Amino acid sequence: MGDTLRSQTVTTKLQRIAQQAGQYPEMVFTTLAHLMDVGFLHEAHRRISKKGAPGIDKVTADEYGENLEANLFGLHKRLREGRYIAPPVERVWIEKENGKKRPIGKPTFEDKIVQKAVAMLLSPIYEKKFYPFSHGFREGHSQHQAVHELRENCMKKGINYILNADITGLFDNINHKQLLEFIKLRVNDGAILRLIGKWLKAGVMEEGKVEYPDHGTPQGGVISPLLSNIFLHYVLDGWLVREVGPQMKGRCFVIRWADDFIIGFELESDAAIVKEQIPKRFNSYGLELHPDKTALIKFGKPGAKTKGRRVNGTFDFLGFTFYWDKGWKGYWVIKKRTARKRLNRFLKMTWNWCKENRHEPIQEQHKTLCSKLRGFYQYFGVRSNYKVLEAVFEYAEKSWRRWLSQRSHKGKVVFEDLKKSYPFPLPRIVHNI
């Protein structure tokens, strides 16, 4: 079967699942695993990234693909007979900008294929169940969409208070039993549940030793974002809509991206109720709010009587700082700029990269730096943030000039001539939000 025909066949299967999920919102799916035939695994293989580092078996994507048909046939046979064993995830640590380290998981490539296949089966079911304000790791949703909705809600609903919240170690603290119980409310296929259970219990290998945490989802797992969204759909999203919403006296809204969420309130009394209730709700499911990243902020539209006095705080969400300011017509509007932490991280990375790669060929340096700048513009190129883009552009030139001068005594004159042949991409607004 050709790749195009195979993709069409899988797409048809998934569309049928989505149609059923939409027509019968209370339906419990009990027969899904049989859809994961060899063709389905082929499509899962096609859809996953081939760039990741290999897991504990050291098999790369290229090596697995050298004998793809036989590998997938054998994989399907093991899945069908219930003999598939989820291997432990290799854990490595990488430096953060604050000097601390964070763990990264490296599943085996074959395990990624199986996780992707299961995620493909579950996604159309839960896409019909998830709320529109949950944006993280969902097809058709983006960070810029979440940022736009956040601003529009604040402007149109007369929001005066923002609860800016972040969950501490969500992926490491999800309760296995509770997660599986949540999944059974919508999907009760024994084979699928056993696979998810195997991933939850597969363990983490570090320095040759395997640990078996009793909480958390697979580190670096393809299916982990979906599992976390399912968990928070029941723990947070549905609870806010069904139980908290009816208590509110004024207008409010919620925007969530994975473990980071914003709740806006018109009334301070509503904000106080939710601020008190959320920690209790989370504690009952083994979760906590990050003490340094959670705060209630006054964020109402400034009035004429303020006369420029600072009456509001600011808050960060998805790499942007939100604040009130006068627009070019003289009206108060909500603006966005790159959050200081994200800006400093990019500037530091640019400086260090220029330092470490100053002896590489000029053409290669220029190509990489242009790519980094375009990436920054692509994400942070929003209205009201142009000055930050200019500052990043100028700093990139400054960094390149500084470290190129270390390999040449001609200094600035050479760099000025060099800029004519190797110009950096100019700052530009990419998103009209």
Side-chain angles (χ1 to χ4, degrees):
M1 184 185 295
D3 289 343
T4 301
L5 181 58
R6 184 185 296 117
S7 295
Q8 291 174 347
T9 301
V10 172
T11 299
T12 300
K13 290 180 179 180
L14 299 180
Q15 287 174 343
R16 288 174 183 163
I17 295 173
Q19 186 178 20
Q20 285 183 307
Q23 289 180 342
Y24 309 102
E26 302 303 320
M27 174 181 176
V28 178
F29 290 80
T30 58
T31 55
L32 292 171
H34 71 282
L35 297 174
M36 288 197 302
D37 55 20
V38 175
F40 200 95
L41 295 175
H42 257 290
E43 180 63 10
H45 170 269
R46 187 187 70 82
R47 293 188 183 189
I48 62 174
S49 171
K50 313 299 188 296
K51 298 179 181 179
I56 62 172
D57 62 359
K58 305 304 179 185
V59 176
T60 66
D62 289 340
E63 290 170 344
Y64 194 89
E66 290 175 359
N67 199 13
L68 185 61
E69 289 292 338
N71 285 333
L72 293 181
F73 182 82
L75 174 59
H76 175 254
K77 190 171 187 293
R78 280 177 281 139
L79 288 169
R80 187 184 62 211
E81 297 173 356
R83 296 187 295 106
Y84 181 76
I85 299 175
V89 175
E90 184 178 2
R91 180 165 62 195
V92 296
W93 296 82
I94 63 172
E95 295 279 351
K96 296 173 65 175
E97 67 272 5
N98 59 6
K100 297 181 180 180
K101 294 184 178 182
R102 67 184 180 95
I104 294 293
K106 298 192 297 180
T108 65
F109 184 73
E110 184 173 73
D111 202 46
K112 290 180 183 178
I113 297 174
V114 185
Q115 289 192 33
K116 183 63 177 181
V118 173
M120 287 163 57
L121 287 174
L122 297 183
S123 290
I125 297 172
Y126 285 99
E127 278 301 313
K128 299 297 182 180
K129 195 167 187 66
F130 290 156
Y131 293 99
F133 58 76
S134 170
H135 293 282
F137 311 115
R138 294 177 61 189
E139 187 174 350
H141 293 253
S142 71
Q143 290 161 305
H144 293 101
Q145 182 182 350
V147 165
H148 174 68
E149 290 184 11
L150 170 56
R151 181 184 182 276
E152 293 300 297
N153 272 291
C154 286
M155 297 282 289
K156 294 178 180 179
K157 293 185 176 180
I159 297 302
N160 293 301
Y161 296 89
I162 290 289
L163 179 60
N164 187 7
D166 184 275
I167 304 170
T168 301
L170 170 65
F171 291 93
D172 295 328
N173 291 294
I174 290 178
N175 183 284
H176 293 171
K177 182 178 179 181
Q178 290 171 333
L179 172 62
L180 290 172
E181 290 300 319
F182 287 148
I183 295 173
K184 288 178 184 178
L185 295 175
R186 195 69 166 129
V187 176
N188 199 10
D189 181 314
I192 297 295
L193 292 173
R194 281 192 293 274
L195 279 173
I196 294 174
K198 288 179 180 180
W199 289 319
L200 296 177
K201 298 176 182 178
V204 177
M205 176 177 286
E206 185 175 359
E207 297 181 351
K209 297 181 180 180
V210 180
E211 298 179 352
Y212 297 93
D214 56 2
H215 288 72
T217 56
Q219 287 188 354
V222 176
I223 201 169
S224 290
L226 176 59
L227 296 181
S228 67
N229 268 338
I230 293 172
F231 195 73
L232 286 183
H233 171 80
Y234 290 98
V235 173
L236 179 65
D237 302 350
W239 173 72
L240 287 173
V241 171
R242 293 190 306 271
E243 299 184 34
V244 177
Q247 301 179 48
M248 300 293 99
K249 306 296 184 185
R251 291 175 290 181
C252 57
F253 74 90
V254 57
I255 299 289
R256 181 172 69 81
W257 184 278
D259 57 353
D260 193 4
F261 62 95
I262 297 287
I263 308 179
F265 304 91
E266 184 180 12
L267 302 180
E268 185 177 11
S269 57
D270 289 342
I273 291 173
V274 177
K275 185 182 179 183
E276 180 184 3
Q277 290 183 356
I278 278 189
K280 298 176 183 177
R281 175 71 177 179
F282 279 175
N283 289 340
S284 66
Y285 288 95
L287 299 178
E288 294 181 348
L289 290 176
H290 197 296
D292 299 327
K293 299 180 181 179
T294 302
L296 182 62
I297 301 146
K298 183 173 174 55
F299 199 72
K301 182 178 180 179
K305 295 181 180 180
T306 60
K307 296 182 180 180
R309 289 185 290 110
R310 191 177 189 85
V311 296
N312 282 316
T314 65
F315 66 92
D316 293 350
F317 185 63
L318 297 180
F320 291 96
T321 296
F322 292 77
Y323 62 99
W324 283 97
D325 197 7
K326 288 287 187 70
W328 65 278
K329 290 185 178 181
Y331 301 115
W332 286 104
V333 295
I334 295 174
K335 295 184 177 181
K336 305 170 294 296
R337 62 174 178 263
T338 306
R340 183 176 298 277
K341 182 181 293 186
R342 293 288 291 272
L343 176 60
N344 290 342
R345 182 195 308 173
F346 185 84
L347 297 181
K348 181 179 179 181
M349 177 274 297
T350 302
W351 179 269
N352 289 338
W353 191 92
C354 290
K355 176 182 178 181
E356 294 167 2
N357 294 273
R358 62 186 183 274
H359 295 297
E360 298 298 320
I362 295 295
Q363 297 90 335
E364 293 301 317
Q365 291 189 51
H366 178 256
K367 180 180 178 181
T368 299
L369 288 170
C370 286
S371 177
K372 292 180 184 296
L373 283 173
R374 291 192 188 98
F376 190 91
Y377 302 159
Q378 184 63 38
Y379 187 81
F380 291 107
V382 300
R383 286 187 299 174
S384 75
N385 199 38
Y386 190 77
K387 288 185 178 179
V388 172
L389 304 185
E390 285 186 317
V392 166
F393 173 86
E394 293 170 359
Y395 191 85
E397 283 198 337
K398 172 185 174 182
S399 301
W400 205 29
R401 177 193 298 113
R402 167 68 172 79
W403 290 108
L404 283 181
S405 68
Q406 296 298 301
R407 70 175 206 173
S408 170
H409 296 292
K410 297 181 180 180
K412 184 177 179 180
V413 175
V414 173
F415 186 77
E416 293 301 322
D417 292 340
L418 189 69
K419 284 201 304 182
K420 297 176 183 178
S421 300
Y422 298 98
F424 283 161
L426 296 175
R428 66 189 185 97
I429 300 301
V430 179
H431 306 279
N432 189 28
I433 59 173

